Amino acid sequence: MIGAVNSKKITASSAAHMALLDQFILLTQDSIVEQDDSFVRDSLVDLLSNLRAERADYAEIIGASAFNRAV
């Protein structure tokens, strides 16, 4: 029971993080399009890559958490 409760909290927390990351990803994408300076644009592209990787990590956590609840 405790494991299921913790798993639900982890899922909820991960989903909240993913929602914020989604917003930041969209903002970063918009900023890239608007950027004239190639150095700044490249920096934002790197940031975007990191944000997407972090989002993928949270998606993996949610998947593992759901799997653990099912077991």
Side-chain angles (χ1 to χ4, degrees):
M1 178 70 175
I2 292 174
V5 170
N6 288 338
S7 182
K8 287 180 183 180
K9 289 183 179 192
I10 290 169
T11 298
S13 177
S14 295
H17 284 250
M18 285 177 63
L20 289 171
L21 284 165
D22 286 341
Q23 292 177 29
F24 199 29
I25 286 168
L26 289 175
L27 178 63
T28 304
Q29 289 172 330
D30 291 344
S31 296
I32 289 169
V33 171
E34 297 170 358
Q35 190 51 246
D36 293 332
D37 185 304
S38 63
F39 180 81
V40 175
R41 190 172 44 251
D42 289 346
S43 175
L44 291 173
V45 168
D46 287 343
L47 173 62
L48 183 59
S49 176
N50 290 334
L51 292 170
R52 287 177 173 159
E54 188 171 349
R55 188 190 188 287
D57 290 343
Y58 281 111
E60 189 174 321
I61 289 169
I62 287 175
S65 183
F67 176 77
N68 287 338
R69 279 197 311 272
V71 173

